């Protein structure tokens, strides 16, 4: 394995973002090294680029086995590496669902064969991955999965969710919950039950369908002692419930995605790209989500990367499938809209508020911890690199540190461009960011000490 020296970069360390040189040798990172250590190394001048642990997304849909016309392990993990990710957790919305060792093996074989980064599969909570019926064999699956979820379906029966938590606790695994109480839903709901739905005659998905299950599940987590993680938080009530649970010291965590932080239902358009579950909600919900990220109530930034075919996303808000892609736009959209700007400051009458609040050279000052926009650069890296690895046993470093695994992303924080979804490595093209200006581009991605992606050369095994 080649030795590599990265010179004149800024690195994300626990104490902050600092300028440093870095040696990659035998799949490990070294900040302290001699001229002798560098002998025979490939040397890259980083010229002020940012070097961070490879991002982690604990909520993606790779669609294989069963739905390879939407995405494959190969295309999905390439999309992830293109976006700076070196580890993802794959949801169990598959055919067959990973509810048995036999079914899980089909998925794991494809991961072993085609993944270019680390992929951690989830096991399904129920045998048919429906939120109802018989539980999967949690003890049998536990050694091979990162946790258990029926993502896409809420667990409808209190007693079944409690039993799932008890069993997961016994084998040291987390329960990851898509919270959706079907008793609160009206048939045909497609967007948030708010201003746009009312004005345009759509059936809405109300906030209670999410937060009521969050409330129930937190009580069950307290009773069972299980680690409990809330998927794609979208409502202000859910944020408040998670905050109270944390104040009580419960092992409860939560995640949200860029689209929930940057948009509201007032931004909706009659286009399938705006349809996801849970839906983009109100201005008040967005404000609570941003505060939840700022205050540490919400732990992880996820994309809920959910690719579909062009046909499935071509039927408007009412008829399109739920879900958008996000692995290739997450960092750039967050840097542009959340670090350099604050979505809560947006006012169509104030052009100045749409401008970046600082230059890129200022981002690394104060160790990257000063918030010019909604959050600091350091906080963005916490929720994309560090917190997921603290919550779940995922490979790669939490920070750049001596002797850690060399899973890295190198980022050009000055690069400004418009998103072109036709250039995605993902088979999915449905994104809210198509044509939008973003800032921050992945220069290189390293996994297990090996350079796998370069923005000029593409994927190096090709």
């Amino acid at each position: 394995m080649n030795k590599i020296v990265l010179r004149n970069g800024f690195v994300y360390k626990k104490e902050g973002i600092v300028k440093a040189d870095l040696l990659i040798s035998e799949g490990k990172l070294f900040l302290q090294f001699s001229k002798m250590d560098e002998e025979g190394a490939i040397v890259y001048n980083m010229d002020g680029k940012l070097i961070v642990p490879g991002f982690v997304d604990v909520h993606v849909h790779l669609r294989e086995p069963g739905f390879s016309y939407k995405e494959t392990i190969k295309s999905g993990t390439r999309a992830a590496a293109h976006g700076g990710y070196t580890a993802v957790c794959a949801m169990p919305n598959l055919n067959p669902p990973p509810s048995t060792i036999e079914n899980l093996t089909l998925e794991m074989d494809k991961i072993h064969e085609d993944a270019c980064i680390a992929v951690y599969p989830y096991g399904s909570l129920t045998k048919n991955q429906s939120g109802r019926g018989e539980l999967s064999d949690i003890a049998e699956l536990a050694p091979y999965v990162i946790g258990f979820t029926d993502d896409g379906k809420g667990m409808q029966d209190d007693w079944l969710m409690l039993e799932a938590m008890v069993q997961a606790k016994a084998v040291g695994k987390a329960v990851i919950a898509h919270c959706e109480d079907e008793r609160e839903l009206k048939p045909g709901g497609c967007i948030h039950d708010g201003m746009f739905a009312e004005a345009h005659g759509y059936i809405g998905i109300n906030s209670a369908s999410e937060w009521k299950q969050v409330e129930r599940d937190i009580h069950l987590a307290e009773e069972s002692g299980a680690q409990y993680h809330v998927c794609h938080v979208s409502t202000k009530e859910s944020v408040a419930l998670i905050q109270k649970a944390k104040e009580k010291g419960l092992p409860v965590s939560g995640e949200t995605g860029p689209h929930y932080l940057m948009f509201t239902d007032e931004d909706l358009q009659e286009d399938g790209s705006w349809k996801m579950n849970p839906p983009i909600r109100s201005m008040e919900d967005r404000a609570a989500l941003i505060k939840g990220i700022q205050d540490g109530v919400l732990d992880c930034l996820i994309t809920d990367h959910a690719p579909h075919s062009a046909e499935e996303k071509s039927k408007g808000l009412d008829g399109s499938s739920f879900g958008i892609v996000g692995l290739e736009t997450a960092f750039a959209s967050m840097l542009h809209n959340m670090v350099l700007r604050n979505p809560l400051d947006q006012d169509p009458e104030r052009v100045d508020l749409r401008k970046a609040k600082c230059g890129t050279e200022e981002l690394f000052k104060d160790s990257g911890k000063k918030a010019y926009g909604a959050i600091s650069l350091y906080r963005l890296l916490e929720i994309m690199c560090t917190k997921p690895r603290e919550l779940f046993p995922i490979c790669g470093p939490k920070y750049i540190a001596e002797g850690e695994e060399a899973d890295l992303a190198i980022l050009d924080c000055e690069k400004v461009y418009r998103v072109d979804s036709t250039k995605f490595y993902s088979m999915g093209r449905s994104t809210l960011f198509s044509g939008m200006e973003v800032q921050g581009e992945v220069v290189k991605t390293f996994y297990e000490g090996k350079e796998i992606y370069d923005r000029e050369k593409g994927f190096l095994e090709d």
Side-chain angles (χ1 to χ4, degrees):
M1 184 178 291
N2 290 330
K3 289 192 290 187
I4 297 170
V5 174
L6 305 175
R7 289 209 191 286
N8 303 314
F10 286 90
V11 302
Y12 169 62
K13 300 177 70 177
K14 188 171 186 178
E15 58 266 33
I17 295 171
V18 300
K19 195 161 190 177
D21 295 341
L22 198 61
L23 171 69
I24 301 173
S25 179
E26 299 298 323
K28 300 291 184 182
L29 302 174
F30 299 96
L31 291 156
Q32 300 175 8
F33 53 94
S34 66
K35 287 286 185 184
M36 186 176 295
D37 295 327
E38 294 182 38
E39 283 188 14
I42 300 169
V43 179
Y44 293 121
N45 181 9
M46 292 291 94
D47 192 26
K49 303 295 189 294
L50 179 61
I51 305 169
V52 304
F55 301 139
V56 177
D57 192 336
V58 300
H59 192 139
V60 304
H61 299 266
L62 298 181
R63 304 300 195 201
E64 199 173 26
F67 304 98
S68 57
Y69 70 94
K70 299 173 187 272
E71 189 81 290
T72 64
I73 298 292
K74 183 174 183 177
S75 65
T77 57
R78 283 189 167 208
H82 181 219
Y85 290 88
T86 57
V88 296
C89 300
M91 287 294 172
N93 314 57
L94 304 171
N95 186 20
S99 57
T100 67
I101 288 292
E102 181 182 12
N103 291 353
L104 179 63
T105 299
L106 297 174
E107 180 185 5
M108 293 179 69
D109 285 348
K110 292 300 294 183
I111 291 169
H112 179 75
E113 181 181 340
D114 291 335
C116 65
I117 61 169
V119 177
Y120 295 85
Y122 285 108
S124 61
L125 276 171
T126 61
K127 288 204 169 178
N128 56 3
Q129 211 256 313
S130 65
R132 289 185 168 87
E134 186 179 355
L135 290 178
S136 302
D137 192 333
I138 288 174
E140 183 181 43
L141 292 168
Y144 310 103
V145 299
I146 194 72
F148 290 90
T149 181
D150 264 9
D151 183 54
K153 294 288 185 180
M155 293 286 281
Q156 300 306 311
D157 297 315
D158 299 2
W159 66 269
L160 191 64
M161 185 56 147
L162 178 59
E163 180 60 25
M165 287 185 175
V166 168
Q167 291 190 27
K169 164 73 172 175
V171 294
K173 295 293 180 180
V175 171
I176 293 85
H178 171 113
C179 291
E180 189 170 32
D181 187 339
E182 294 177 2
R183 295 170 299 184
E184 295 291 333
L185 298 176
K186 297 176 183 177
C190 60
I191 59 174
H192 175 58
D193 188 13
M195 293 178 60
F196 192 95
E198 183 177 353
H200 295 84
Y202 285 106
I203 299 170
I205 300 171
N206 65 28
S207 296
S209 63
E210 175 180 295
W211 70 257
K212 284 192 174 182
Q213 274 207 350
V214 175
E215 183 177 51
R216 178 204 68 178
D217 287 353
I218 289 172
H219 289 308
L220 298 179
E222 183 172 18
E223 182 177 345
S224 65
Q227 181 185 352
Y228 173 68
H229 182 79
V230 187
C231 290
H232 40 47
V233 175
S234 70
T235 71
K236 61 183 184 293
E237 294 90 351
S238 296
V239 176
L241 288 163
I242 294 167
Q243 181 174 6
K244 289 179 182 177
K246 289 191 169 192
E247 289 169 353
K248 292 176 70 174
L250 300 179
V252 172
S253 56
E255 62 183 43
T256 196
H259 42 294
Y260 301 117
L261 297 167
M262 297 176 203
F263 302 103
T264 74
D265 68 332
E266 295 182 31
D267 299 311
L268 290 177
Q269 300 173 25
E270 179 48 66
D271 185 287
S273 294
W274 292 87
K275 185 177 182 180
M276 69 287 297
N277 190 23
I280 291 169
R281 298 198 186 271
S282 70
M283 293 182 69
E284 292 79 12
D285 292 306
R286 179 179 65 175
L289 293 170
I290 291 173
K291 191 170 190 307
I293 290 288
Q294 293 168 334
D295 296 346
V297 175
L298 298 177
D299 304 90
C300 304
L301 185 82
I302 55 89
T303 65
D304 194 6
H305 178 85
H308 293 284
S309 69
E311 180 184 0
E312 289 170 326
K313 294 298 289 182
S314 67
K315 301 172 184 177
L317 290 172
D318 197 29
S320 293
S321 298
F322 287 105
I324 56 173
V325 297
L327 287 167
E328 295 170 90
T329 56
F331 175 76
S333 64
M334 289 292 290
L335 180 64
H336 184 278
N337 293 298
M338 292 288 291
V339 175
L340 294 172
R341 295 164 179 80
N342 187 339
L344 300 182
D345 289 344
Q346 295 303 309
D347 181 339
E349 304 301 321
R350 295 276 306 277
V351 175
D352 60 304
L353 293 180
R354 298 198 294 271
K355 296 179 180 179
K357 293 180 180 293
C358 72
T360 52
E361 69 280 357
E362 297 173 89
L363 280 176
F364 304 146
K365 291 182 179 179
D366 301 309
S367 301
K369 295 183 179 181
K370 181 175 180 179
Y372 294 94
I375 60 174
S376 68
L377 177 59
Y378 187 89
R379 179 61 181 150
L380 176 59
L381 298 178
E382 280 187 320
I383 59 178
M384 294 189 74
C385 306
T386 306
K387 289 301 293 185
R389 292 184 171 101
E390 290 179 349
L391 289 172
F392 301 101
I394 292 171
C395 67
K398 298 180 181 72
Y399 305 94
I400 301 298
E402 196 76 12
E404 290 283 358
E405 298 163 278
D407 294 351
L408 301 175
I410 299 174
L411 309 168
D412 180 352
C413 292
E414 294 187 350
K415 178 72 172 180
V416 178
Y417 58 99
R418 293 193 178 275
V419 174
D420 182 353
S421 61
T422 67
K423 295 181 179 178
F424 285 174
Y425 284 91
S426 173
M427 291 165 62
R429 297 287 186 268
S430 186
T431 171
L432 299 182
F433 299 105
S434 186
M436 293 181 65
E437 182 179 278
V438 294
Q439 185 166 341
E441 187 173 52
V442 176
V443 178
K444 294 179 184 291
T445 305
F446 290 83
Y447 175 58
E448 295 183 334
K450 179 183 176 184
E451 184 179 352
I452 59 171
Y453 170 77
D454 175 88
R455 71 173 168 185
E456 301 298 333
K457 302 174 185 175
F459 282 88
L460 301 186
E461 72 267 28
D462 287 347

